[in-house]
Amino acid sequence: MQLNRLLIIAVMACFGGSLAATAQKTLSLDSCRRMALGNNKELRAAEERINSASFQHKQARAAYLPSFDLQAMYLYNQKEISLLESDQYLPTKSFNPATGGYDYNLVMKPDGTPLFTPDGTPVPSQVAVIPKSAMTYDTHNVFAGAITLTQPLYMGGKIRALNKMADYGKEIASQLLDNARREVVYSVDAAYWQVVSLSEKKKLADSYICLLDTLHSNVAAMIREGIATPSDLLTVDVKLNDARIDLTKVDNGLVLSKMALAQLCGMPLDEKYVLVDELAEEKNFGSMAPLSFSMEQVFANRSDVKGLELGVKVYEQKQWEARSGMLPQLALMGAYSVTNPNVFNGFDKSFKGMFSVGAVLKMPLWHWGGNYNKYRVARSEKIVRELELEETKEKVELQVTQAAFRINEAQRTLNMTASNLDKADENLRQASLGYREGVMTLTTVMEAQTAWLKAYSENIDAQIDVALCNIYLRKVTGTLDY
């Protein structure tokens, strides 16, 4: 009688819950995943890092191509430029038919010898005058401009290393995005099943309160018939109050868990919704992750491991970049420059220009070991990244082994808790029947009810634990789909 009433109440509760659910948004696990992937800000940041890596990739490619630069300059000078200190007097020469050459025009003394100054300089009879003003130029305002072309020919392997680092950087950004997506999916799945677990616990608490209500009614009837005492009724009341307190805790936990899931999915925290697996009799935990796997395949699937492998390659290219500082560098140069004033026709105050082409060779000779030590730093960093990669692989192998062990334990626990359900139901039925027949005490009935509650609660925990262990195993093996 008691079990039939309990089943009727449970059916009515489920039916009422279904009616309430129709007025709310119903979400499946896949829809929660999609909303979380579409609204997560960390994923947006990771996608923007991919854009940044793409721009860096294009920037590195541009180093292979010639660069063109335009330069312009204006300069104001306080003073003019004068090439002479004062007017200059230059001696002249005349043709001498006797010698067939040119002789200086000198002042001659009566005896026919040249006249000398006290310092021994001959005195010219004729001079050419170069005035200082003729060699003074207006350089107060100077304008200059140039268009230059630079084409690297050989940079010691630096450009090639930078391009490879940019390629690896783009791949690393993609791997980080993939890893971030898997983390989001794992967080959503864990929050989803937490909500389902608490929802089931709420249903169980409601059923337990129904059991206690029924027991309360039976004890009250027995008191009227004189076969039970008020103390028995008080004992049931205390247990009923404890059950209602537990139900309140479960309700609060369910509300908070739904808030956490709503935040992950980008929904308002006060969004009213119900999950598909809250209503389903059979939970869809998805296919079980394979327990036999190859660690090499796991490493190939894990985005974080692949990112570290690419990081080792980046630091390998950093070695080449540092090594390029010890090698010669050759570049082709070309330019067209203009100035005003220009020096092609004196200091003409007009714009005049010219082309120039050449090559620049830079040969490092001695830097007191600076370039070599830079190379050694890059090599040490590469070794550090290799050691970090090996340590990460060891940790991943440990994670996978532990996850496989946990899912085996969870499956065994689920099987044991499932086998306890029928025993708990039968124990409760016999205790209730024995109490009505007067062959069992109230304490025995309440112990049976507590055991029934514990059995169903452990079964719910075991089901959710199997689901979470399965998700975690997929995560650590790199097979968690999104």
Side-chain angles (χ1 to χ4, degrees), residues 240-256:
L240 187 57
N241 287 335
D242 290 341
R244 286 170 178 161
I245 291 173
D246 292 339
L247 177 60
T248 301
K249 292 179 180 179
V250 172
D251 283 333
N252 293 337
L254 181 58
V255 171
L256 294 176

Side-chain angles (χ1 to χ4, degrees), residues 90-108 124-128:
L90 303 179
T92 61
K93 288 184 176 183
S94 298
F95 182 72
N96 187 346
T99 62
Y102 288 89
D103 296 329
Y104 282 104
N105 296 316
L106 302 175
V107 176
M108 308 300 290
S125 60
Q126 294 180 356
V127 295

Side-chain angles (χ1 to χ4, degrees), residues 18-195:
S18 300
L19 290 178
T22 57
Q24 303 179 51
K25 180 188 297 184
T26 303
L27 300 176
S28 65
L29 179 59
D30 287 338
S31 61
C32 289
R33 286 179 172 184
R34 284 195 298 270
M35 286 190 293
L37 292 173
N39 292 280
N40 189 272
K41 293 180 176 58
E42 291 184 4
L43 294 183
R44 295 182 186 177
E47 290 171 353
E48 197 59 37
R49 291 190 191 99
I50 291 181
N51 294 334
S52 176
S54 299
F55 298 144
Q56 290 178 350
H57 178 265
K58 293 179 180 179
Q59 176 188 356
R61 291 290 185 201
Y64 283 118
L65 304 176
S67 59
F68 296 86
D69 298 288
L70 173 64
Q71 299 179 14
M73 183 192 73
Y74 167 76
L75 183 66
Y76 173 78
N77 296 306
Q78 179 187 6
K79 297 180 179 181
E80 297 177 334
I81 293 179
S82 179
L83 300 183
L84 299 178
E85 181 182 2
S86 59
D87 293 345
Q88 299 297 307
Y89 300 93
L90 303 179
T92 61
K93 288 184 176 183
S94 298
F95 182 72
N96 187 346
T99 62
Y102 288 89
D103 296 329
Y104 282 104
N105 296 316
L106 302 175
V107 176
M108 308 300 290
K109 293 189 290 185
D111 58 3
T113 60
L115 177 64
F116 291 90
T117 62
D119 61 358
T121 303
V123 179
S125 60
Q126 294 180 356
V127 295
V129 180
I130 302 178
K132 177 182 178 180
S133 60
M135 301 298 290
T136 300
Y137 304 101
D138 180 10
T139 56
H140 288 299
N141 298 291
V142 178
F143 301 89
I147 297 177
T148 59
L149 176 147
T150 304
Q151 173 62 62
L153 298 180
Y154 178 72
M155 295 287 113
K158 181 177 182 179
I159 296 178
R160 183 168 58 252
L162 289 175
N163 272 272
K164 287 187 176 181
M165 282 193 288
D167 291 339
Y168 294 143
K170 188 175 179 180
E171 292 182 38
I172 289 174
S174 298
Q175 295 300 329
L176 290 176
L177 175 61
D178 183 72
N179 191 60
R181 285 173 174 165
R182 294 181 191 277
E183 290 291 341
V184 169
V185 169
Y186 177 72
S187 299
V188 169
D189 285 19
Y192 181 93
W193 291 114
Q194 177 69 15
V195 171

Side-chain angles (χ1 to χ4, degrees), residues 236-442:
V236 176
D237 286 339
V238 171
K239 202 69 173 179
L240 187 57
N241 287 335
D242 290 341
R244 286 170 178 161
I245 291 173
D246 292 339
L247 177 60
T248 301
K249 292 179 180 179
V250 172
D251 283 333
N252 293 337
L254 181 58
V255 171
L256 294 176
S257 297
K258 285 198 171 186
M259 284 184 182
L261 180 58
Q263 190 273 331
L264 288 173
C265 296
M267 298 185 296
L269 297 183
D270 57 352
E271 180 80 21
K272 301 299 181 184
Y273 63 90
V274 64
L275 302 180
V276 170
D277 286 289
E278 287 186 81
L279 307 175
E281 291 293 333
E282 295 293 332
K283 312 303 178 188
N284 180 21
F285 296 132
S287 59
M288 296 297 292
L291 297 181
S292 59
F293 36 75
S294 164
M295 288 309 302
E296 291 301 322
Q297 186 60 42
V298 170
F299 295 149
N301 292 336
R302 287 284 295 256
S303 302
D304 50 350
V305 174
K306 289 192 285 187
L308 288 174
E309 290 174 346
L310 291 170
V312 171
K313 293 181 180 180
V314 167
Y315 278 92
E316 184 178 355
Q317 294 304 315
K318 277 185 174 290
Q319 285 184 246
W320 287 102
E321 181 192 7
R323 183 173 175 268
S324 68
M326 297 182 285
L327 298 176
Q329 299 179 1
L330 179 64
L332 178 66
M333 301 288 294
Y336 180 79
S337 56
V338 295
T339 58
N340 181 3
N342 66 82
V343 294
F344 302 112
N345 294 310
F347 273 74
D348 183 25
K349 297 193 68 175
S350 63
F351 285 97
K352 297 290 183 180
M354 66 175 179
F355 288 100
S356 56
V357 179
V360 178
L361 175 65
K362 179 182 176 182
M363 176 71 74
L365 296 178
W366 183 254
H367 293 269
W368 303 101
N371 291 336
Y372 180 61
N373 285 321
K374 180 180 178 182
Y375 170 77
R376 294 169 71 181
V377 169
R379 184 177 61 186
S380 296
E381 289 179 342
K382 175 178 174 286
I383 294 173
V384 169
R385 296 305 183 278
E386 289 175 340
L387 293 174
E388 289 178 351
L389 174 61
E390 291 301 319
E391 183 181 12
T392 300
K393 286 184 175 180
E394 291 175 0
K395 290 181 178 178
V396 167
E397 187 172 1
L398 177 61
Q399 281 182 339
V400 172
T401 304
Q402 289 178 336
F405 177 80
R406 284 175 55 189
I407 199 169
N408 280 326
E409 286 297 308
Q411 190 63 54
R412 284 197 293 267
T413 302
L414 177 60
N415 293 337
M416 288 187 290
T417 58
S419 66
N420 288 336
L421 296 181
D422 293 337
K423 297 175 184 177
D425 288 337
E426 180 61 21
N427 182 43
L428 178 59
R429 188 188 70 81
Q430 291 184 5
S432 301
L433 180 62
Y435 180 69
R436 288 196 302 271
E437 297 296 332
V439 295
M440 289 189 180
T441 64
L442 178 63

